[in-house]
Amino acid sequence: MKTRAAVAFAAGEPLSIVDVDVQGPRPGEVMVEVRATGVCHTDEFTRSGADPEGLFPAIFGHEGAGVVVEVGAGVTSVVPGDHVILLYTPECRACKSCLSRKTNLCTAIRATQGKGLMPDGTSRFSIDGKPIHHYMGCSSFAHHTVLPEIAVAKVRKDAPFDKICYIGCGVTTGIGAVLFTADVEAGANVVVFGLGGIGLNVIQGARMAAANMIVGVDINPAREALGRRFGMTHFVDPRAIKGDLVAHLVELTGGGADYSFECVGDVTLMRQALECCHRGWGQSIIIGVAGAGKEISTRPFQLVTGRVWKGTAFGGARGRTDVPKIVDWYMDGRIQIDELITHKLPLARINEAFDLMHAGTSIRTVIEFD
Ligand code: NAD
Ligand code: AHE
Ligand code: ZN
């Protein structure tokens, strides 16, 4: 069948809105009609050409929610009509990683996912018979997409697609980084670098954890007001302070952060985020994704003296288990999403979402399909 999609034909170019051929689901797979998808900075990272795993042509998008319209042979956990959130971190519950209980990084399909293919090594998307790559196993910038059954989380039907799509990445990544990866304790002092679609969710996760001081760091002063609405207690614009940012943050937090989170993807900030942590126990969590060739560095002394460097993907959340619960948190009013969805656009105007991101005027743009 044909479906409408935003296709990235080459790095650095705008996406093209075209009709593509999409094949039905094969055994173990499901076809989803995407109703809404967020545009995450990671989509822009890959579109720009900075992603060492980036493949073209491809259909990006990994923050989607929609309805199952068809299931392949052997699918048992969802049926047509079920509402789902797409998972770029699947949960097979059978691989070594899932069974370890130590990580959310299911390895069942990671190899083919990284090659832009379904687990059988082929693509379901094509144009004039030429394959188009999948992206992060989701390709939510297509009205219809196909995923392995293990890569969809079934969610309640009364939750609005235009809000819960954001749980497919940003919300879960930010809140999960605090609650699952760092396990921030009540009373902790937290520093968050970058107050965009991820960082603001780190802030609301820190508030849920009953953190004491929640310091936000961003070069965009317009982020202060929204940060404070989400629980930020102090705002630091690095361009407005005199002297060294790390020294400033150590002094502000009375000796250093108990936890810091890098939500930008800048390796210089990653170092500052580690070094502003408290000697002896401070933990710094890397969330931001850095381009090909970028490396982090610090003096080993920073680690010898007890600081801990960690990273997190999808906030450490186990998709099929945790995502339906996070949808409940939203529906029960325990977390805020609406305020962060600053713009909505039809698929035909998706390139404007990247412009808004660059201009610093959006937190999340959500694309709604008709
Ligand atoms: P965003 O564009 O919405 O926000 C980035 C924020 O960083 C903006 O507010 C911007 O003003 C700020 N910023 C830029 N340069 C800065 C600097 N030098 N100092 C302080 N602040 C600065 O992006 P996002 O969607 O929030 O994504 C943030 C990062 O997280 C990206 O690298 C993205 O790829 C990554 N990400 C990782 C995961 C994961 O699972 N690890 C999930 C989602 C996104
Ligand atoms: N292809 C990139 C890796 C990008 C990356 O780390 N992605 C995160 C999710 S970002 C969501 O917005 C992730 O899930 N990582 C774990 C994984 O297995 O990819 C690169 O740098 O090569
Ligand atoms: Zn994302």
Side-chain angles (χ1 to χ4, degrees), residues 33-157:
E33 181 192 341
V34 179
R35 293 290 181 82
T37 177
V39 180
C40 173
H41 208 115
T42 306
D43 297 305
E44 169 55 8
F45 164 76
T46 307
R47 190 203 65 81
S48 73
D51 183 351
E53 267 191 318
L55 294 163
F56 298 86
I59 299 172
F60 294 155
H62 62 280
E63 203 171 70
V67 182
V68 174
V69 289
E70 195 183 337
V71 300
V75 169
T76 57
S77 59
V78 287
V79 295
D82 280 345
H83 292 197
V84 292
I85 289 178
L86 314 187
L87 300 173
Y88 61 85
T89 307
E91 184 185 356
C92 76
R93 300 175 174 156
C95 71
K96 181 180 177 186
S97 300
C98 284
L99 291 174
S100 75
R101 309 301 300 161
K102 293 178 182 175
T103 179
N104 66 328
L105 292 175
C106 173
T107 43
I109 59 170
R110 181 63 180 85
T112 46
Q113 184 170 314
K115 295 187 177 119
L117 301 170
M118 295 296 286
D120 71 353
T122 64
S123 173
R124 299 291 160 272
F125 295 111
S126 60
I127 298 176
D128 297 331
K130 294 192 188 106
I132 307 291
H133 291 103
H134 295 245
Y135 175 67
M136 290 178 71
C138 293
S139 292
S140 59
F141 294 168
H143 192 186
H144 295 85
T145 187
V146 178
L147 304 95
E149 172 184 20
I150 58 169
V152 295
K154 182 175 161 179
V155 300
R156 56 197 275 175
K157 289 188 176 172

Side-chain angles (χ1 to χ4, degrees), residues 20-335:
V20 303
D21 291 299
V22 56
Q23 293 175 9
R26 294 187 185 175
E29 300 174 1
V30 301
M31 178 180 273
V32 176
E33 181 192 341
V34 179
R35 293 290 181 82
T37 177
V39 180
C40 173
H41 208 115
T42 306
D43 297 305
E44 169 55 8
F45 164 76
T46 307
R47 190 203 65 81
S48 73
D51 183 351
E53 267 191 318
L55 294 163
F56 298 86
I59 299 172
F60 294 155
H62 62 280
E63 203 171 70
V67 182
V68 174
V69 289
E70 195 183 337
V71 300
V75 169
T76 57
S77 59
V78 287
V79 295
D82 280 345
H83 292 197
V84 292
I85 289 178
L86 314 187
L87 300 173
Y88 61 85
T89 307
E91 184 185 356
C92 76
R93 300 175 174 156
C95 71
K96 181 180 177 186
S97 300
C98 284
L99 291 174
S100 75
R101 309 301 300 161
K102 293 178 182 175
T103 179
N104 66 328
L105 292 175
C106 173
T107 43
I109 59 170
R110 181 63 180 85
T112 46
Q113 184 170 314
K115 295 187 177 119
L117 301 170
M118 295 296 286
D120 71 353
T122 64
S123 173
R124 299 291 160 272
F125 295 111
S126 60
I127 298 176
D128 297 331
K130 294 192 188 106
I132 307 291
H133 291 103
H134 295 245
Y135 175 67
M136 290 178 71
C138 293
S139 292
S140 59
F141 294 168
H143 192 186
H144 295 85
T145 187
V146 178
L147 304 95
E149 172 184 20
I150 58 169
V152 295
K154 182 175 161 179
V155 300
R156 56 197 275 175
K157 289 188 176 172
D158 58 341
F161 293 116
D162 64 328
K163 306 297 188 311
I164 64 165
C165 60
Y166 192 13
I167 295 173
C169 183
V171 171
T172 303
T173 297
I175 294 177
V178 176
L179 301 185
F180 303 143
T181 303
D183 196 13
V184 170
E185 70 277 5
N189 289 339
V190 172
V191 177
V192 185
F193 288 75
L195 306 180
I198 307 302
L200 290 165
N201 279 296
V202 170
I203 285 182
Q204 76 166 320
R207 181 171 60 183
M208 290 168 83
N212 170 42
M213 197 180 249
I214 305 176
V215 182
V217 180
D218 203 298
I219 52 172
N220 181 353
R223 293 285 143 99
E224 179 172 1
L226 201 48
R228 289 196 186 276
R229 276 174 63 191
F230 272 68
M232 184 179 76
T233 59
H234 300 72
F235 178 70
V236 175
D237 177 347
R239 293 168 176 174
I241 61 157
K242 290 196 185 94
D244 178 52
L245 176 62
V246 170
H248 180 82
L249 293 168
V250 169
E251 189 184 349
L252 183 65
T253 52
D258 298 307
Y259 300 91
S260 72
F261 297 84
E262 200 280 352
C263 315
V264 180
D266 180 299
V267 294
T268 302
L269 291 183
M270 290 174 189
R271 179 174 189 155
Q272 291 174 325
L274 176 80
E275 295 181 0
C276 79
C277 283
H278 202 288
R279 178 184 165 93
W281 65 74
Q283 293 192 22
S284 187
I285 318 298
I286 293 177
I287 304 177
V289 166
K294 298 287 184 190
E295 295 185 345
I296 49 171
S297 63
T298 190
R299 287 195 63 223
F301 174 74
Q302 294 289 335
L303 305 183
V304 166
T305 49
R307 294 172 192 83
V308 176
W309 230 341
K310 280 187 180 178
T312 182
F314 198 39
R318 292 180 169 81
R320 291 200 290 165
T321 302
D322 295 324
V323 160
K325 293 180 197 163
I326 297 173
V327 171
D328 286 342
W329 293 353
Y330 169 66
M331 296 301 285
D332 295 344
R334 292 181 59 197
I335 59 172

